[in-house]
Amino acid sequence: MRKTSLATKVETKSRVVYQHRRPNRTRRGHCLVQRSIQNMAFAEVHSRVNKRYNQQNFQSLQGHENLLVKYTQQKIAKVGWRPNSKGYSSHQNIFATGTWDELQNVVNIWNFEKGRTYQEGKEPLINEPQLVTSIPHQGEVTDLKFIDDEKLMTSSSNGSLELMHYSRSRQDLKSIFKWKNIHHFLSNTCPCTGFTVNMPNVITVGEDSRINILKIDTQAPVATIEDSVSGCSINAVTCEGISEFITVDSMGRLKVWDLRQPLAKPVKVMVLSGEQISLQCIDQHPNQPHVAVTGSHDGSIIIWDLRQDRYPAVVLKAHLSTVWQVKFHRHFPNNLFTCSDDGAIWHWDGSMVTNTTLPTSIRNFSDAESRTNTNPWLISDVIRNKIKITSLAPHNKLPINSCDIINQDLICGTDGEAIIIAQDLLLK
């Protein structure tokens, strides 16, 4: 399928040239390979050089309206907002971050109170996120999600999954359950690349081509699915309804699985036409779960209509490098966010397409469906040009590994040892 480049549509004042990529950084699937440090004196010097460079990158992001950058001195692999019982954040927003490529990786809880602090005779200061508590994490954090307002779950590069409890009153984070080495090769462990939670089930995927079905209170997997034929890394997973889930892998395949059916094989397999480009991440439309969006190793954004038999609906040549996360807004699903190894975080606004009267001949839905159900992400090439794309951190030079959105606030975790927060985004 022909790929349409949308890079020229990004609203930036100047094009950023990314010349600072570290040549020794490698990722197999979602694997984050730690470098070996033999000499602690060298590690200290290396840390100082990195800190100086990252501070320069940090300073170049300052001064942009509604853009806040918090320097953490840790590479951030994953970020996630904490929801309250209604799915919205309170005035004091809580979020979690997980690190990678550190001598001691950690999971941090942050408190972000929006607004400014006023001091007499001084300019008002924008409030920064404040570290609430921290807990060591064995291995690099490969995925991180709040499963409710008190429970946080993380996956690790050592093949484990961990459930933690966050107490707002005591402001502490404790590990309460761990599934060790659920992903492994014959002689050693391998990364658990991701997980999804659909109570009471937890589904994990890894570089060992395994899918584990877990229960919250049970140590051993209830079921394990292994793709022993292709043997490729499964990079991400998401739930589709109560009993179905979707995986994407390094061979460019999207597979739909049904827990009600025999788990020996998926109920549907979809692929990129004639290509084996690794799919790195996936998210589903919150209102129309038959619409899924994936990000690929070559920077493409691929939109799938799961009602179709085999191939994606739309392929967009978007970012310059690997797309690490795609994220629909839960309450404004015409808004999509993507972050990439090229240092970009993009806001895709499809509301103009939804509000446009569309000829029936160019719609991807049957004539029986109402025009009010038109999904902008499944529209043909002509209408697709109406999607507005905005770069939210145009001067960032280092990879953005993760993003999450709640209300009008977007957080990002970067290799620049910083958290980026884009506040008060315009959503339609």
Side-chain angles (χ1 to χ4, degrees):
M1 185 176 295
R2 184 175 64 87
K3 298 181 180 180
T4 304
S5 175
L6 294 182
T8 56
K9 293 181 63 178
V10 180
E11 296 179 353
T12 60
K13 294 182 179 180
S14 61
R15 186 176 181 85
V16 178
V17 180
Y18 306 97
Q19 296 178 338
H20 301 279
R21 194 72 67 247
R22 295 177 298 285
N24 63 335
R25 175 187 176 181
T26 59
R27 298 190 182 191
R28 178 179 176 266
H30 204 97
C31 176
L32 308 179
V33 183
Q34 252 183 335
R35 67 178 182 270
S36 175
I37 299 179
Q38 304 295 334
N39 189 313
M40 294 304 295
F42 168 79
E44 183 179 356
V45 173
H46 181 80
S47 175
R48 291 176 181 174
V49 172
N50 266 352
K51 181 176 180 180
R52 187 183 305 116
Y53 172 71
N54 291 329
Q55 284 179 332
Q56 293 172 355
N57 181 68
F58 164 76
Q59 292 166 359
S60 71
L61 292 172
Q62 299 292 351
H64 293 269
E65 186 178 3
N66 297 333
L67 191 67
L68 173 65
V69 182
K70 173 68 174 181
Y71 185 64
T72 65
Q73 301 186 40
Q74 297 169 330
K75 296 185 181 70
I76 308 297
K78 288 292 177 179
V79 297
W81 287 110
R82 168 189 175 268
N84 66 13
S85 59
K86 296 182 179 180
Y88 289 91
S89 66
S90 60
H91 177 64
Q92 291 185 331
N93 296 325
I94 300 294
F95 65 90
T97 61
T99 68
W100 81 282
D101 197 29
E102 301 293 335
L103 295 176
Q104 174 61 69
N105 289 290
V106 296
V107 174
N108 293 326
I109 300 293
W110 302 82
N111 180 36
F112 175 51
E113 184 173 358
K114 294 180 63 176
R116 296 173 183 267
T117 300
Y118 294 89
Q119 297 180 356
E120 186 176 354
K122 297 182 179 180
E123 291 289 330
L125 300 175
I126 299 177
N127 293 337
E128 290 188 349
Q130 300 298 316
L131 182 62
V132 176
T133 186
S134 181
I135 186 172
H137 190 267
Q138 294 182 3
E140 298 169 343
V141 178
T142 57
D143 203 357
L144 174 151
K145 296 183 182 77
F146 276 100
I147 61 176
D148 60 31
D149 57 350
E150 292 184 338
K151 293 183 179 65
L152 175 69
M153 188 169 283
T154 64
S155 59
S156 173
S157 59
N158 66 13
S160 300
L161 186 73
E162 189 169 2
L163 180 63
M164 305 177 185
H165 181 268
Y166 169 65
S167 172
R168 183 72 181 270
S169 59
R170 296 192 303 269
Q171 293 192 341
D172 66 359
L173 185 66
K174 293 182 178 180
S175 176
I176 57 177
F177 203 85
K178 182 178 289 188
W179 295 264
K180 294 184 179 181
N181 302 327
I182 54 176
H183 290 278
H184 56 84
F185 297 119
L186 291 176
S187 59
N188 57 357
T189 62
C190 75
C192 172
T193 54
F195 65 89
T196 187
V197 180
N198 192 2
M199 290 297 190
N201 296 316
V202 179
I203 302 167
T204 70
V205 295
E207 287 196 0
D208 54 357
S209 303
R210 285 189 179 91
I211 302 171
N212 289 311
I213 315 297
L214 308 170
K215 299 290 185 182
I216 286 292
D217 55 352
T218 305
Q219 184 68 53
V222 176
T224 298
I225 311 167
E226 185 172 0
D227 185 356
S228 58
V229 178
S230 64
C232 71
S233 172
I234 304 175
N235 296 326
V237 60
T238 188
C239 286
E240 184 196 11
I242 298 175
S243 59
E244 295 181 324
F245 63 95
I246 307 170
T247 61
V248 293
D249 62 33
S250 293
M251 293 183 67
R253 298 174 300 185
L254 181 149
K255 297 181 180 181
V256 181
W257 306 80
D258 192 335
L259 295 174
R260 298 166 298 186
Q261 303 296 326
L263 293 175
K265 61 180 181 179
V267 296
K268 178 177 287 188
V269 179
M270 304 180 74
V271 296
L272 287 172
S273 179
E275 301 182 44
Q276 289 189 354
I277 298 173
S278 177
L279 300 178
Q280 298 295 139
C281 52
I282 183 171
D283 196 22
Q284 283 180 277
H285 193 283
N287 299 336
Q288 300 180 37
H290 62 271
V291 178
V293 176
T294 60
S296 73
H297 181 72
D298 70 348
S300 297
I301 302 297
I302 303 104
I303 300 124
W304 309 78
D305 186 346
L306 300 180
R307 301 169 301 182
Q308 303 301 317
D309 291 332
R310 189 163 178 80
Y311 300 111
V314 180
V315 179
L316 306 173
K317 181 59 180 176
H319 289 277
L320 301 177
S321 187
T322 303
V323 178
W324 291 124
Q325 190 151 16
V326 291
K327 193 77 174 179
F328 279 112
H329 195 289
R330 297 295 98 181
H331 306 289
F332 298 93
N334 290 331
N335 297 270
L336 176 71
F337 300 87
T338 62
C339 63
S340 171
D341 205 66
D342 63 14
I345 173 73
W346 287 0
H347 175 196
W348 305 62
D349 182 2
S351 60
M352 293 180 62
V353 177
T354 303
N355 297 330
T356 304
T357 300
L358 303 174
T360 304
S361 60
I362 59 174
R363 292 177 54 194
N364 285 2
F365 294 89
S366 65
D367 293 337
E369 291 186 272
S370 168
R371 290 180 185 273
T372 59
N373 290 332
T374 299
N375 192 299
W377 311 108
L378 297 178
I379 304 304
S380 65
D381 290 354
V382 175
I383 305 301
R384 191 172 58 199
N385 292 329
K386 292 183 178 292
I387 292 178
K388 178 183 178 182
I389 307 173
T390 304
S391 178
L392 299 179
H395 297 286
N396 181 58
K397 300 178 178 65
L398 296 176
I400 297 181
N401 301 317
S402 178
C403 65
D404 195 19
I405 178 76
I406 192 170
N407 295 342
Q408 293 177 280
D409 301 323
L410 178 82
I411 52 172
C412 305
T414 78
D415 272 3
E417 301 184 353
I419 301 166
I420 300 175
I421 304 181
Q423 305 178 72
D424 301 322
L425 299 175
L426 180 61
L427 305 174
K428 301 177 183 178

